Amino acid sequence: MRDVAVIGIGMTKFGELWEKSFRNLFVEAAKAAMTDAGVDKIDSMYIGCMSGGLFVGQEHIGSLMADYLGVAPIPATRVESACASGGVAFRQAYIEVASGMSDVVLAGGVEKMTDVDGGMATYALATAADADYEGFHGATFPGLYAMMASAHMAKYGTTSEMLASISVKNHANGNLNPFAQFPSKITLEGVLNSTMVADPLHILDCSPVTDGAAAVIVASLDVAKKLGAPIVRIIGSGQATDSIALHGRDDITTINAAKVASQKALQQAGLSINDIDFAEVHDCFSIAELIVLESIGVFEPGKAGAAILDGYTARDGKFPVNPSGGLKSKGHPVGATGVAQIVELTKQLRGTAENGRQLANAKRGLAQNMGGTGGSSTVHILEA
Ligand code: COA
């Protein structure tokens, strides 16, 4: 295995982007990443996309994007693992460069979700649940995460206020991110009084429906040094799966795929979670961030809620989480999210996060991306 680095990053603004097409979103992010890296050629690319077919009526995405980016005939592969599609695309790019097969590979992600109405968006997302045992019976992702939240509350005494504090923190961070969809600051009362979507989750506990794309350039350390680009090394990569239906799990107050993926990434890096300075985690719902932080060992089971309420994961806290604003504030174009997390890690590790969002001590960061309610997860560890 060769040493591998992230040498270029790019993303579009996230939001409801009527004026930009699916392909233009990807090309904008990919070009920005190539310009940032100082490369005009790539050996291959991977594109995370959950459901081009249902959201914009487009499949065969690898070839389409290679054509419009002007890089055909290089190999271009669309990667799908629900909301973890971007994280898996990044891992594929990393493996291809680490193996010696290629020197410079682009990992991107794209989703255009707002061209369909809310009912269709909810249906498209719900296809990432178990169709026979969950989707067929009307379960949606807000509903499934609401069940996980209720179980966590019953088992550990977690409160709605603790969950709301996660959204408040992520909006405070997103307020400083020029790429965020919902940069507004919000309050605990505001979250608790917002519309109930699936009890106990309010609308401000939920990530939004988003258009957007993100891309990064991954290269061998030798090539990175020759290019003279700022180098952020990939020192750990883990991926894991689990039953996609909640009823198939022993315990729905933990996410085993996140736990196993983080153990693998940490083991590869030769580190423990205590050696990590900050993280971007998959807060598709406030409860998801809380459970992930317990699953990857930042907190003991049942202990995250009180610590988060106390500021432990704030930008100036002991372990900052989602300095980008997370999925909640920055937005969640599902196929792009995992790559956008790598964009934020890279900014923080280069010391270039915008608008005072830069963390004081960012030497090693962890990105956790997740499909569905945790049927798949990736974890990557990057070092300045
Ligand atoms: N956070 C903050 N504000 C939001 C929001 C969110 N998640 N979702 C919508 N809004 C805002 C809209 O901008 C709109 O504001 P406006 O009236 O000032 O324009 C208002 O709330 C109503 O928006 P609307 O689009 O009608 O909401 P909706 O009821 O159709 O959708 C959710 C709200 C929560 C159901 C939708 O965002 C959702 O499904 N989120 C979860 C996505 C998901 O499951 N992702 C995959 C995770 S595994």
Side-chain angles (χ1 to χ4, degrees):
M1 292 257 290
R2 298 193 297 175
D3 284 339
V4 181
V6 175
I7 61 165
I9 55 173
M11 64 184 280
T12 66
K13 185 172 165 37
F14 283 3
E16 190 170 350
L17 307 174
W18 291 99
E19 71 286 8
K20 292 184 183 174
S21 71
F22 178 63
R23 68 190 71 185
N24 286 349
L25 287 171
F26 176 78
V27 169
E28 182 183 326
K31 277 188 162 176
M34 290 173 73
T35 303
D36 185 48
V39 297
D40 55 10
K41 285 197 179 75
I42 51 176
D43 297 327
S44 77
M45 66 179 186
Y46 292 89
I47 303 151
C49 180
M50 179 187 152
S51 193
L54 290 176
F55 284 121
V56 290
Q58 179 71 63
E59 305 289 11
H60 208 171
I61 289 160
S63 301
L64 178 86
M65 297 309 185
D67 182 17
Y68 276 80
L69 184 58
V71 294
I74 66 159
T77 308
R78 182 261 188 95
V79 176
E80 188 277 311
S81 189
C83 306
S85 300
V88 178
F90 179 70
R91 183 172 147 89
Q92 292 304 309
Y94 164 66
I95 290 170
E96 184 167 321
V97 174
S99 74
M101 181 75 92
S102 294
D103 286 331
V104 181
V105 177
L106 185 147
V110 60
E111 211 79 55
K112 186 158 176 59
M113 301 168 71
T114 71
D115 284 2
V116 295
D117 65 23
M120 183 60 188
T122 300
Y123 167 75
L125 290 165
T127 61
D130 187 315
D132 286 351
Y133 295 107
E134 294 179 327
F136 181 78
H137 302 280
T140 62
F141 276 105
L144 292 166
Y145 273 98
M147 285 193 244
M148 296 167 83
S150 300
H152 204 281
M153 287 169 153
K155 188 167 178 182
Y156 296 114
T158 301
T159 65
S160 290
E161 199 182 27
M162 291 171 182
L163 297 182
S165 71
I166 294 170
S167 299
V168 172
K169 165 189 66 75
N170 289 348
H171 274 256
N173 293 345
N175 183 250
L176 303 173
N177 187 344
F179 295 88
Q181 178 174 9
F182 286 113
S184 47
K185 285 187 180 174
I186 56 175
T187 61
L188 275 184
E189 297 69 36
V191 180
L192 296 174
N193 292 327
S194 67
T195 305
M196 187 65 83
V197 172
D199 194 5
L201 300 178
H202 299 81
I203 191 167
L204 292 178
D205 286 293
C206 306
S207 61
V209 168
T210 310
D211 304 332
V216 300
I217 307 292
V218 169
S220 69
L221 201 54
D222 290 344
V223 168
K225 282 180 182 162
K226 276 185 207 141
L227 284 167
I231 293 171
V232 169
R233 286 181 58 213
I234 305 166
I235 58 171
S237 174
Q239 181 180 350
T241 52
D242 197 355
S243 148
I244 66 173
L246 286 183
H247 72 249
R249 308 204 192 147
D250 293 338
D251 178 6
I252 64 167
T253 64
T254 184
I255 294 178
N256 198 49
K259 179 178 174 183
V260 173
S262 74
Q263 283 170 344
K264 289 191 169 174
L266 287 165
Q267 190 182 18
Q268 182 188 347
L271 300 172
S272 87
I273 193 72
N274 299 324
D275 300 314
I276 306 295
D277 301 319
F278 70 102
E280 285 281 306
V281 305
H282 197 96
D283 60 317
C284 51
F285 298 91
S286 51
I287 183 65
E289 177 166 324
L290 185 149
I291 292 183
V292 164
L293 291 176
E294 292 179 353
S295 302
I296 68 175
V298 177
F299 300 107
E300 296 288 315
K303 302 284 186 217
I308 294 167
L309 192 56
D310 207 31
Y312 196 96
T313 55
R315 254 189 351 273
D316 59 353
K318 215 161 172 208
F319 188 82
V321 175
N322 284 327
S324 71
L327 286 50
K328 173 68 206 78
S329 169
K330 186 179 66 207
H332 183 25
V334 286
T337 282
V339 181
Q341 292 178 324
I342 301 295
V343 169
E344 177 67 11
L345 250 56
T346 305
K347 280 184 189 172
Q348 292 289 348
L349 293 169
R350 285 177 176 179
T352 57
E354 307 90 344
N355 298 338
R357 219 155 39 76
Q358 181 61 46
L359 301 173
N361 181 28
K363 299 281 179 290
R364 284 191 202 116
L366 178 150
Q368 182 271 337
N369 183 206
M370 192 154 74
T373 51
S376 58
S377 183
T378 58
V379 169
H380 288 95
I381 301 170
L382 273 57
E383 188 174 65

